[in-house]
């Protein structure tokens, strides 16, 4: 009789050896995978750090550029889009990546925090004026231009949101008791706005209206010394958009816009002199003009103190966007030195391109549909996500 025990034992040993080899292979594969993952994470972290450092270097360069512009006697008397600071930073090759960016003039927009200076008497007095312009009338005109319903309540609710008291500025205003009836209830800020989108929290403004207003509004920080009233932040007439110029023009409308666009860039005292002559605002006897009364220096200016810097840094797989609020404003006794008041850092996720082949039917449709109108192409460009510099018109 022949025994089968040895062959069985050999089969079990072989199976055990195979299981052991499989276990070792899986362990080694897992170790290799984790090692590759750690290396990839370390490289990504390194690239992010490098992208941030490069972006901060670009920020320092931009501040030096703004400081030189303000110190140069040939350029410090006006700020406009023909100056060096307003040109988009070309794509700069850096080790392992690129850096692009641009500087935007924040005073080409309406600073919503200007409404903090309004009290009931001042607000009503401005609205009662026929010619004289101010930020309240500018705001109402801008709403009309954008086809957004306008009324004094649109101003009063902003004033009450910003001021520190709990008393409505007038019958159109809204304080905390009014916001408690909202669903969900809101707590009124009673302080300066911190971002433009905060306007959507204020009574009477919808999200759609705020989205329509965003290209023409900004929120600038408090720039006064402690205990003093916050000064107005005027609109830079040299960089204001057509829509904002129409809103500033008031009853003079297109004549005001054409005069400003033909005369830009303006320097000290030039804008009012030109408006007096072009719009017939001089007294026939005294030759004194009224332009500086209709558009006071607190409303329009030819210089800018606040800028927004957009930077786009790419290093390896890291893609980072940095937005910096830069102030060039100096108080009496201070030395001119631009400073960063706020910085927003965004890490843009990588997009994996699709490698799927186009099927035959879409190919046939695409080959037969060659006539896409210019309007349709423009709509596609407007709805696509655009780089920051393209959005600010650099």
């Amino acid at each position: 009789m022949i025994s089968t025990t040895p062959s069985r034992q050999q089969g079990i040993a072989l199976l055990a050896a195979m299981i052991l080899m499989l276990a070792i292979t899986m362990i080694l594969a897992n170790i290799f995978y984790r090692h590759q993952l750690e290396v990839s994470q370390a490289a990504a972290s390194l690239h992010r750090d490098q992208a941030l450092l490069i972006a901060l270097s670009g920020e320092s360069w931009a501040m030096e550029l703004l400081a030189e512009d303000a110190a140069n006697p040939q350029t410090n008397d006006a700020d406009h889009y023909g100056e060096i600071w307003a040109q988009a930073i070309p794509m700069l090759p850096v080790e392992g990546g690129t850096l692009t960016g641009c500087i935007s003039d924040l005073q080409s927009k309406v600073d919503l925090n200007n409404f903090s200076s309004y009290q009931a008497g001042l607000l009503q007095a401005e609205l009662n004026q026929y010619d004289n312009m101010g930020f309240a009338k500018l705001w109402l005109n801008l709403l009309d231009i954008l086809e957004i319903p306008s009324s004094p309540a649109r101003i009063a609710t902003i004033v009450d949101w910003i001021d520190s008291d709990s008393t409505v500025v007038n019958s159109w205003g809204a304080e905390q008791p009014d916001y408690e009836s909202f669903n969900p209830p809101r707590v009124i800020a009673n302080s300066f706005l911190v971002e433009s989108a905060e306007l959507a929290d204020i009574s009477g403004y919808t999200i759609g209206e705020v989205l329509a207003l965003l290209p023409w509004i900004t929120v600038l920080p408090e720039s006064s010394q402690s205990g003093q009233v916050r000064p107005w932040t005027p609109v830079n007439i040299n960089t204001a958009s057509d829509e904002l110029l129409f809103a500033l023009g008031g009853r003079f409308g297109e004549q005001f816009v054409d005069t400003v666009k033909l005369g830009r860039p303006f320097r000290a005292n030039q804008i009012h002199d030109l408006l007096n002559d072009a719009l017939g605002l001089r007294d026939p006897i005294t030759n004194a003009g009224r332009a500086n009364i209709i558009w006071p220096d607190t409303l329009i200016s030819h210089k800018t103190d606040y800028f927004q810097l957009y930077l786009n840094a790419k290093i390896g797989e890291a893609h980072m966007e940095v937005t910096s609020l830069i102030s060039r404003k100096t108080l009496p006794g201070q030395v001119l030195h631009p400073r960063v008041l706020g910085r927003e850092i965004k890490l843009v996720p990588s997009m994996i391109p699709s490698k799927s082949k186009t099927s035959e039917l879409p190919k046939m449709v695409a080959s037969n549909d060659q006539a896409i109108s210019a309007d349709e192409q423009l709509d596609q460009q407007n709805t696509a996500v655009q780089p920051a510099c393209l959005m600010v018109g650099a």
Side-chain angles (χ1 to χ4, degrees):
M1 181 175 175
I2 300 174
S3 175
T4 59
T5 302
S7 64
R8 288 180 180 178
Q9 291 177 348
Q10 290 176 358
I12 294 173
L14 180 60
L15 180 61
M18 293 178 63
I19 292 174
L20 178 62
M21 290 299 296
L22 178 61
I24 293 174
T25 303
M26 292 180 65
I27 292 172
L28 290 176
N30 186 50
I31 292 173
F32 179 76
Y33 170 75
R34 288 182 177 275
H35 174 70
Q36 290 296 105
L37 189 62
E38 289 175 358
V39 170
S40 178
Q41 290 175 342
S45 177
L46 177 61
H47 289 162
R48 286 195 295 268
D49 292 342
Q50 289 176 334
L52 179 59
L53 290 174
I54 290 173
L56 294 178
S57 298
E59 184 182 82
S60 299
W61 176 80
M63 288 194 292
E64 290 180 7
L65 191 66
L66 291 172
E68 291 175 2
D69 174 77
N72 188 342
Q74 296 181 347
T75 60
N76 64 2
D77 57 347
D79 292 305
H80 54 87
Y81 286 138
E83 295 188 303
I84 296 178
W85 63 263
Q87 310 308 309
I89 302 172
M91 183 177 289
L92 302 176
V94 295
E95 186 176 355
T98 58
L99 175 67
T100 57
C102 64
I103 301 175
S104 173
D105 180 2
L106 286 179
Q107 286 183 229
S108 65
K109 305 178 180 182
V110 179
D111 177 17
L112 296 180
N113 281 334
N114 280 328
F115 291 108
S116 65
S117 299
Y118 279 102
Q119 300 299 325
L122 177 60
L123 176 59
Q124 193 57 47
E126 180 181 317
L127 295 177
N128 290 339
Q129 293 284 343
Y130 177 64
D131 276 345
N132 298 358
M133 291 292 300
F135 282 100
K137 295 180 72 173
L138 165 63
W139 185 246
L140 295 180
N141 290 343
L142 181 61
L143 294 178
D144 287 334
I145 291 171
L146 299 179
E147 298 182 349
I148 297 174
S150 64
S151 71
R154 294 291 187 135
I155 305 167
T157 53
I158 300 178
V159 174
D160 283 333
W161 183 271
I162 296 175
D163 64 22
S164 57
D165 59 47
S166 58
T167 304
V168 293
V169 68
N170 55 34
S171 59
W172 295 298
E175 287 288 351
Q176 186 57 47
D178 301 283
Y179 288 94
E180 290 176 355
S181 62
F182 281 50
N183 186 21
R186 303 174 190 173
V187 177
I188 194 168
N190 284 334
S191 63
F192 291 105
L193 296 165
V194 295
E195 60 178 356
S196 301
E198 191 179 343
L199 181 62
D201 293 329
I202 298 178
S203 175
Y205 289 91
T206 66
I207 294 177
E209 291 171 347
V210 174
L211 289 174
L213 285 164
L214 282 180
W216 294 278
I217 62 176
T218 188
V219 167
L220 298 177
E222 184 177 5
S223 57
S224 61
Q225 292 178 323
S226 178
Q228 295 183 354
V229 176
R230 182 187 188 275
W232 303 90
T233 305
V235 175
N236 188 337
I237 202 74
N238 288 326
T239 56
S241 63
D242 289 356
E243 291 82 359
L244 210 53
L245 290 180
F246 270 105
L248 283 167
R251 72 177 184 88
F252 296 96
E254 191 170 348
Q255 190 177 6
F256 173 89
V257 176
D258 292 340
T259 301
V260 171
K261 292 177 69 174
L262 289 174
R264 291 196 294 197
F266 295 101
R267 289 169 171 77
N269 302 321
Q270 291 182 340
I271 177 63
H272 292 128
D273 288 339
L274 181 60
L275 290 174
N276 282 327
D277 296 331
L279 304 182
L281 299 175
R282 294 191 182 278
D283 186 284
I285 300 177
T286 64
N287 200 39
R290 294 188 297 117
N292 62 324
I293 299 175
I294 300 175
W295 299 281
D297 292 334
T298 54
L299 177 65
I300 61 173
S301 176
H302 55 282
K303 300 182 68 175
T304 293
D305 292 321
Y306 296 97
F307 301 85
Q308 190 114 49
L309 171 67
Y310 299 86
L311 290 171
N312 193 320
K314 294 182 179 180
I315 300 293
E317 295 297 323
H319 182 187
M320 187 170 291
E321 292 182 353
V322 178
T323 305
S324 304
L325 172 59
I326 300 176
S327 172
R328 205 171 55 178
K329 189 176 183 65
T330 56
L331 298 174
Q334 291 183 341
V335 178
L336 174 63
H337 181 68
R339 59 195 186 278
V340 176
L341 301 182
R343 183 185 297 120
E344 182 180 4
I345 301 174
K346 295 180 181 178
L347 191 62
V348 181
S350 300
M351 300 297 292
I352 301 176
S354 175
K355 295 183 180 180
S356 60
K357 295 182 179 180
T358 307
S359 64
E360 291 302 319
L361 180 58
K363 285 182 180 179
M364 294 173 60
V365 174
S367 63
N368 292 331
D369 187 12
Q370 300 293 332
I372 299 178
S373 66
D375 291 340
E376 290 174 342
Q377 294 180 8
L378 182 61
D379 290 340
Q380 293 173 3
Q381 294 172 3
N382 290 338
T383 55
V385 177
Q386 303 290 348
C389 288
L390 184 58
M391 289 192 293
V392 298

